[in-house]
Amino acid sequence: MHDERRRIEERVQRLHDQRIKTAIHAATVPLEVEAWQAPGEPVPFAEAAAASYAPFAMGTPWGPPWGTTWFRMRGQVPSEWAGRRVEAVIDLGFVGDWPGNQAEALVHLTDGRPLKAVNPLNQYVPIAHPAVGGEEIHYLVEAASNPDILANDFAAPTPLGDVLTAGDKPLYTFQRADIAILDEDVWHLDLDIQVLRELMLELGEHDPRRHEIMHALDRAMDLLDLDDISGSAASVREALKPVLAKPAHASAHIVSGVGHAHIDSAWLWPIRETKRKTSRTFSNVTSLADEYEEFVFACSQAQQYEWVRDNYPHVWARIQESVKKGQWAPVGGMWVEADGNLPGGEALARQLVHGKRFFIEHFGIETKGVWLPDSFGYTAAYPQLARLAGNEWFLTQKISWNQTNKFPHHTFWWEGIDGTRIFTHFPPVDTYNARFSGEEMARAVRNYQEKGGATRSLAPFGWGDGGGGPTREIMERARRLKNLEGSARVEVEHPDAFFAKAREEYPDAPVWVGELYLELHRATYTSQARTKQGNRRSEHRLREAELWATTAALHAPGYAYPYAKLDRLWKTVLLHQFHDILPGSSIAWVHREAEAEYARVAQELEQLTAEAVAALGAGDTRVFNTSPFDRAEVVRAATGVPAYAEVPANGSAPVAVADPPQPVTVSGRVLDNGLVRVEVAADGTLASVRDLRAGGREVLADKGNLLRLHTDLPNYWDAWDVDKHYRNRYTDLLDADSVTVVEEDPLLGAIRVERSFGKGSKITQTITLRAGSPRIDFETDIDWHEAEKFLKAGFPVDIRAPHSSAEIQFGHIQRPTHTNTSWEAARFEVSGHRWVHIAEPGYGVAVINDSTYGHDVSRTVREDGGTTTTVRLSLVRAPRVPDPGADQGRHRFTYSLLPGATIDDAVAEGYALNLPLRVAEAAGAPEPIVSVDGGGVTVEAVKLADDESGDVVVRLYESRGGRVEGVLRTGFPLAGARVTDLLERPLEDAEIVDGGVPVDLRPFQILTLRLRRG
């Protein structure tokens, strides 16, 4: 037989694209359209319905950036169309090839009920089936003219990312608003040909099935009447039936399809637009559920449900009905799809608590899995937190984006730092916006790493980020691929069903231990520093407010614990931990609003804490310690005068109750407190740090606190990525404008270093040493005006450290300092929370911070044979896409060097730096609400139970990485204690011995105790 592949493939493509596809709508009549441009921000339906509309013609430009245009559309179904499938077709002037993040619209009936959305790949609105001749159509369409931020492929900065800079030039040209007949024979033929042609092109050129499909298509095209596509479509379909009816091989891979509509809670649009995106997409989804009884849609992020509940009650009611029918599957059990590395431990716990509780309260459903397809790597604390919240499985997609190494598994057991394991899956289709194309199906099979051990994978399908979610075309593809020779088999089902089947067939799946590190998007640990600082400060202020509110509720008559306020503030912070807000990868508008929101949160939490402390009664000046560790520390009273206090963990004490330790001396540029001696060089770096407790051991191997400015232009994804080549070009900031002693007090000494550099940027650092502490603080004020630069602070330490330890949620993780393998070399920038620790046997050093998350650790051997291990904190970046002004302006933060530090020291000082002692006027405060006998048992949260029973909830964990026994003691009569899950539901009774609760923890174990007051 002659090889006619090219002729047949080209013939099929042309006939499909130019004749069949264009004949799907057999006849059309235009709708009459009028328009009204809403002034400023979006308006309620009632206001739009009452507005004055003007005639609007097709082909007219409309829509300033971030604007809202309401269109009134009227028409009548021709009487001769009775019995046909009729729909409205609306093309707002969609641009580009991305179905999300551009023009979108929500179609309302005249009574205000949302009907369905209009999106680039979902332009129809059903009218009737069968239509009644003469039916009148009357819609009000809310159209959002959101700019396509990705239009230039992130190649250059754009002012469109903020309504303040975007201008008012119309972005779109309205193309079409018609009533049309959907020719169902032609529409189905279009899908038949798409599925067969795409399958054919993915099969091997020597595969008989490829040739069978090719010739079947060729013969079918002979039956297509080019003058009557509609009239001949049925016969063409009949000719294709045999080749579509051949069943899949018995060993065919099984793809569990789950409807999905990945909607970032903010990204290239502000939060206010996400609220509308959810209503549009969820309207589409509930409409599609009415058409396809087998349809199942998985949707995470309780925050988005709450927005719909509060703003779109009709859509909310439809969601509730779909949940009852089993077609809508709440998943994920988190408040938002948060970043996987940056939220603190208690914050991740609250993500799960608030998310799962929302679904239980509103749907009676307890979600079983963590659904995080798009976060930028995942902390090794997740398995334990997920299981403690009652989850059985974990899903993500993003690790498939690895830049260097291909992850070796798609289905596996993931083991966290404490030994907890959770069943985990990465969809090998490598997308969370699948459409069941031939290429996707072939990729899923080709990629799948578990061949021979398991047979199934999951594929989330639907257009995301405002693309409208799953479509009828995707559902039709799934039907055709349910059992088709040459393809994987598609089963549309609930993700819980997939995970149950996957676990049953693969119980001995391989184990991956430790973090799921994404070898990409490493700059998200640093970008938008003020957003990250707002999150860190908010987390610690929430801890403080809860602790002192609990203290006041137990000891101050008449004080009412602020349940509702704390709940609302937590949810605000949790929202901003979304994986494109906290990582710093959103447009300027998002981060501008985030900074303002954090300021409001700070103000309100400060007020709540002050009210709780004041409720304890007026009296002397006292110092309040929110840290879980006893502290002996220099503080500043309201007058600014340094004072010294010893304060118990979670408690308070008068100022200056202890004798001051050895005073601080300042001699030239040398600070000495009897514990460490710090010499500042003339260029403002540290020339020497000697640990006097270790016989005067020199800590540094070279200049310390070396500020290095790198050129930073990644290959792509500016705000997300820092590529390894950034290290190759840099400037060390060694020209100091001034080095000045600014404080000489027996309790503290300080030297100020000022620098100017680059494009008018300035750094002022105050290097402070306090009495009684070996911690050296670098209080930093940056006025930043650089572009495409990356600033780091380096500490080259004379230690041979085989690994570094970095704090993560409820523990720490160790990473090698060498680069023996490509996996280790790929970790050239890593994340951590409050501290990084390096050590050799007998001696360690910690670098502590109060607001940054990125760092790198490297190791070199010197000519003298010694080893230098360098820790560098990532301070600030200057990406220009998607926010051209990212990080510009003022930054204030503190980081510290802690010589002679153990892990215990790092943990304690990490809390101390992030939880400054509070000085306030108060009466003799009561005993701490809780205290712990036994090192290594660390209290993370103290609060009243969410059910308002008055029980006290304490969350604690083992922080050293070893087994520990201790006793939790209370500052109130204890009548009972229970171990609970994260949602404060009882798991087992806890023993009470001599008024305390004994605890026995494995390494990094998290324990939640619910304490009943006597």
Side-chain angles (χ1 to χ4, degrees):
M1 184 181 290
H2 299 298
D3 185 354
E4 294 195 272
R5 283 178 299 169
R6 181 175 177 180
R7 175 189 68 80
I8 295 172
E9 289 170 4
E10 290 178 350
R11 179 193 189 195
V12 172
Q13 181 175 357
R14 181 173 187 185
L15 289 176
H16 171 262
D17 293 352
Q18 297 182 10
R19 300 304 174 89
I20 296 170
K21 209 166 192 64
T22 58
I24 287 174
H25 288 109
T28 63
V29 294
L31 286 160
E32 177 189 335
V33 181
E34 298 174 300
W36 173 69
Q37 177 67 46
E41 286 297 281
V43 301
F45 175 87
E47 183 176 339
S52 297
Y53 286 73
F56 184 88
M58 293 299 99
T60 301
W62 71 278
W66 305 113
T68 301
T69 306
W70 285 82
F71 295 98
R72 180 181 286 156
M73 299 183 182
R74 295 189 181 96
Q76 188 172 37
V77 177
S79 57
E80 61 270 24
W81 289 6
R84 304 296 297 273
R85 187 167 177 178
V86 182
E87 56 194 27
V89 181
I90 301 170
D91 183 347
L92 301 172
F94 301 114
V95 298
D97 58 0
W98 192 31
N101 190 39
Q102 55 166 300
E104 303 172 55
L106 182 59
V107 179
H108 299 77
L109 297 175
T110 54
D111 61 4
R113 282 180 295 158
L115 185 60
K116 185 182 172 296
V118 172
N119 309 91
L121 297 177
N122 197 345
Q123 298 179 14
Y124 76 97
V125 180
I127 293 175
H129 188 207
V132 178
E135 180 180 352
E136 291 190 355
I137 308 302
H138 190 173
Y139 296 147
L140 273 177
V141 180
E142 182 191 28
S145 47
N146 301 329
D148 182 3
I149 303 294
L150 285 178
N152 64 1
D153 202 30
F154 277 3
T158 172
L160 291 173
D162 196 331
V163 69
L164 301 180
T165 58
D168 57 6
K169 182 179 178 181
L171 296 175
Y172 300 99
T173 301
F174 212 119
Q175 297 295 324
R176 180 182 187 185
D178 296 330
I179 305 173
I181 294 173
L182 178 69
D183 191 320
E184 295 190 72
D185 281 335
V186 177
W187 181 63
H188 281 290
L189 175 60
D190 166 66
L191 288 157
D192 290 344
I193 292 174
Q194 283 188 51
V195 169
L196 286 170
R197 178 173 173 272
E198 290 173 4
L199 172 59
M200 173 186 72
L201 294 176
E202 291 299 326
L203 294 170
E205 63 180 67
H206 301 297
D207 191 320
R209 175 65 166 160
R210 175 169 181 153
H211 293 265
E212 179 187 34
I213 294 172
M214 179 180 69
H215 287 287
L217 286 168
D218 193 31
R219 291 190 296 270
M221 292 304 98
D222 292 338
L223 301 175
L224 187 69
D225 185 345
L226 300 186
D227 296 320
D228 186 9
I229 299 294
S230 178
S232 59
S235 61
V236 179
R237 289 200 72 206
E238 193 66 28
L240 291 175
K241 273 186 178 179
V243 77
L244 280 166
K246 284 202 168 183
H249 297 304
S251 59
H253 183 74
I254 301 168
V255 173
S256 293
V258 180
H260 189 228
H262 179 81
I263 303 177
D264 287 317
S265 288
W267 179 30
L268 304 180
W269 52 86
I271 286 172
R272 70 89 150 142
E273 195 55 33
T274 311
K275 296 176 182 180
R276 300 202 294 178
K277 283 179 181 287
T278 56
S279 69
R280 300 177 195 124
T281 295
F282 295 173
S283 296
N284 285 352
V285 169
T286 53
S287 176
L288 192 65
D290 292 336
E291 294 185 61
Y292 294 89
E293 63 180 14
E294 74 272 30
F295 176 59
V296 177
F297 178 72
C299 186
S300 66
Q301 304 196 77
Q303 172 69 88
Q304 294 185 2
Y305 286 76
E306 185 176 80
W307 285 334
V308 173
R309 184 199 67 189
D310 293 345
N311 299 302
Y312 298 89
H314 294 294
V315 179
W316 173 249
R318 286 159 59 178
I319 291 172
Q320 290 179 308
E321 186 61 30
S322 291
V323 170
K324 290 177 184 176
K325 292 192 296 185
Q327 292 187 286
W328 186 294
V331 294
M334 296 178 70
W335 192 246
V336 295
E337 290 184 12
D339 180 83
N341 288 309
L342 307 183
E346 188 60 24
L348 271 190
R350 303 297 177 97
Q351 287 282 358
L352 292 159
V353 167
H354 284 289
K356 290 197 65 132
R357 189 174 287 150
F358 183 93
F359 295 132
I360 291 169
E361 290 178 357
H362 293 285
F363 301 116
I365 290 175
E366 178 158 2
T367 55
K368 294 183 179 180
V370 177
W371 182 278
L372 275 177
D374 191 31
S375 291
F376 311 141
Y378 305 89
T379 170
Y382 250 126
Q384 183 180 192
L385 284 165
R387 295 299 297 272
L388 285 173
N391 292 297
E392 299 173 1
W393 54 260
F394 189 98
L395 177 134
T396 182
Q397 175 67 64
K398 204 69 172 187
I399 302 300
S400 68
W401 287 39
N402 269 6
Q403 199 173 45
T404 305
N405 299 285
K406 182 176 176 64
F407 196 81
H409 313 300
H410 281 108
T411 302
F412 58 100
W413 289 97
W414 180 19
E415 182 178 310
I417 52 173
D418 72 309
T420 299
R421 293 179 178 179
I422 192 165
F423 196 70
T424 301
H425 181 69
F426 294 167
V429 71
D430 279 359
T431 180
Y432 39 78
N433 295 314
R435 62 183 185 92
F436 297 132
S437 69
E439 188 274 333
E440 288 173 349
M441 300 299 286
R443 184 197 319 143
V445 175
R446 184 173 60 249
N447 256 356
Y448 190 54
Q449 303 276 60
E450 318 309 320
K451 296 182 185 77
T455 63
R456 60 181 68 240
S457 65
L458 186 143
F461 65 86
W463 305 113
D465 282 334
T471 64
R472 61 188 182 185
E473 288 78 15
I474 299 177
M475 285 302 299
E476 289 292 337
R477 285 172 169 269
R479 284 181 170 180
R480 287 159 175 78
L481 293 170
K482 186 173 183 178
N483 192 16
L484 182 62
E485 183 187 352
S487 173
R489 290 190 281 134
V490 173
E491 297 178 357
V492 177
E493 62 182 347
H494 194 294
D496 286 347
F498 161 76
F499 274 95
K501 294 172 184 176
R503 183 170 174 175
E504 181 180 8
E505 76 165 356
Y506 203 32
D508 58 345
V511 177
W512 181 268
V513 179
E515 66 182 328
L516 295 175
Y517 177 84
L518 177 63
E519 296 175 358
L520 196 73
H521 292 359
R522 303 168 182 91
T524 59
Y525 315 145
T526 308
S527 296
Q528 298 285 4
R530 284 184 294 269
T531 296
K532 289 174 170 58
Q533 186 177 69
N535 174 73
R536 179 78 70 84
R537 295 283 191 275
S538 296
E539 289 179 347
H540 289 81
R541 285 186 172 112
L542 280 161
R543 173 196 180 101
E544 188 175 29
E546 286 184 338
L547 173 65
W548 300 117
T550 302
T551 303
L554 268 60
H555 295 293
Y559 177 83
Y561 189 85
Y563 291 101
K565 290 181 179 179
L566 288 169
D567 181 80
R568 173 174 48 80
L569 290 166
W570 261 115
K571 287 175 179 175
T572 299
V573 174
L574 298 180
L575 165 60
H576 288 85
Q577 291 176 341
F578 179 76
H579 66 252
D580 274 309
I581 303 178
L582 182 52
S585 48
S586 289
I587 56 174
W589 191 349
V590 173
H591 292 288
R592 171 169 58 83
E593 290 192 332
E595 290 175 32
E597 200 68 10
Y598 284 130
R600 285 191 287 272
V601 168
Q603 184 178 21
E604 194 165 349
L605 285 172
E606 175 61 30
Q607 182 179 349
L608 289 179
T609 302
E611 289 172 354
V613 170
L616 297 172
D620 298 330
T621 301
R622 297 183 68 86
V623 180
F624 291 79
N625 175 18
T626 310
S627 164
F629 298 95
D630 297 342
R631 290 160 75 172
E633 203 168 301
V634 175
V635 297
R636 290 187 187 271
T639 60
V641 177
Y644 190 79
E646 291 184 351
V647 198
N650 305 307
S652 71
V655 175
V657 296
D659 292 331
Q662 183 172 335
V664 177
T665 61
V666 181
S667 176
R669 296 190 303 273
V670 177
L671 307 174
D672 189 325
N673 67 356
L675 303 175
V676 293
R677 182 181 299 122
V678 181
E679 181 182 346
V680 179
D683 61 13
T685 62
L686 299 187
S688 171
V689 174
R690 291 199 174 271
D691 189 340
L692 304 180
R693 301 164 302 168
R697 173 175 176 151
E698 176 60 57
V699 174
L700 299 177
D702 205 338
K703 292 179 181 291
N705 190 38
L706 176 65
L707 297 174
R708 178 166 287 180
L709 188 66
H710 294 267
T711 297
D712 179 23
L713 185 66
N715 294 341
Y716 199 62
W717 301 106
D718 291 20
W720 290 260
D721 284 351
V722 54
D723 288 329
K724 202 169 189 175
H725 53 251
Y726 88 91
R727 292 181 169 182
N728 301 336
R729 187 173 181 85
Y730 58 84
T731 300
D732 289 339
L733 303 184
L734 296 174
D735 295 328
D737 299 336
S738 63
V739 181
T740 311
V741 174
V742 293
E743 191 121 29
E744 289 186 75
D745 186 275
L747 291 180
L748 62 88
I751 295 173
R752 181 168 297 155
V753 180
E754 296 180 327
R755 304 181 188 278
S756 303
F757 63 95
K759 299 180 179 180
S761 297
K762 294 182 179 180
I763 298 178
T764 300
Q765 287 195 310
T766 304
I767 304 169
T768 303
L769 185 67
R770 294 173 175 82
S773 173
R775 196 181 84 197
I776 307 155
D777 291 345
F778 302 86
E779 299 167 50
T780 304
D781 189 320
I782 303 180
D783 189 13
W784 182 249
H785 299 285
E786 304 307 298
E788 296 169 351
K789 294 291 188 289
F790 192 10
L791 181 65
K792 291 217 169 206
F795 293 93
V797 180
D798 189 6
I799 282 179
R800 182 171 175 80
H803 60 260
S804 64
S805 298
E807 186 187 41
I808 63 171
Q809 300 85 349
F810 295 106
H812 58 267
I813 189 170
Q814 293 183 343
R815 300 179 177 108
T817 54
H818 57 72
T819 54
N820 285 352
T821 70
S822 58
W823 294 87
E824 293 152 358
R827 286 173 166 85
F828 58 83
E829 179 79 2
V830 291
S831 66
H833 283 218
R834 290 169 292 214
W835 53 266
V836 182
H837 182 264
I838 56 173
E840 61 188 23
Y843 195 81
V845 170
V847 178
I848 301 164
N849 74 85
D850 71 356
S851 61
T852 190
Y853 296 86
H855 67 275
D856 69 82
V857 182
S858 60
R859 192 176 72 175
T860 58
V861 176
R862 306 187 299 272
E863 290 185 3
D864 64 4
T867 299
T868 301
T869 303
T870 301
V871 178
R872 300 199 309 155
L873 287 183
S874 305
L875 302 182
V876 66
R877 295 185 70 232
R880 302 175 67 211
V881 178
D883 174 7
D887 281 318
Q888 297 300 299
R890 209 65 175 269
H891 301 270
R892 294 182 179 89
F893 50 83
T894 300
Y895 57 88
S896 308
L897 181 70
L898 186 64
T902 63
I903 291 290
D904 274 350
D905 296 330
V907 173
E909 291 300 321
Y911 276 105
L913 183 65
N914 283 270
L915 290 165
L917 293 173
R918 171 179 290 269
V919 179
E921 301 296 318
E927 289 183 51
I929 292 296
V930 295
S931 59
V932 177
D933 298 338
V937 181
T938 301
V939 175
E940 177 64 12
V942 180
K943 58 189 286 292
L944 290 191
D946 292 339
D947 62 7
E948 302 189 21
S949 63
D951 290 351
V952 176
V953 172
V954 180
R955 189 144 32 243
L956 42 83
Y957 70 104
E958 194 288 316
S959 57
R960 291 173 175 169
R963 185 171 294 278
V964 66
E965 294 181 359
V967 178
L968 180 77
R969 303 198 181 279
T970 63
F972 57 89
L974 184 59
R978 283 182 168 179
V979 176
T980 74
D981 66 4
L982 292 185
L983 278 70
E984 301 171 11
R985 299 175 298 193
L987 298 176
E988 61 184 13
D989 288 337
E991 187 180 13
I992 298 176
V993 178
D994 296 330
V997 182
V999 293
D1000 182 0
L1001 302 179
R1002 66 178 181 271
F1004 301 129
Q1005 182 182 351
I1006 303 166
L1007 182 68
T1008 304
L1009 292 172
R1010 184 173 181 137
L1011 309 175
R1012 183 162 49 88
R1013 291 184 277 164

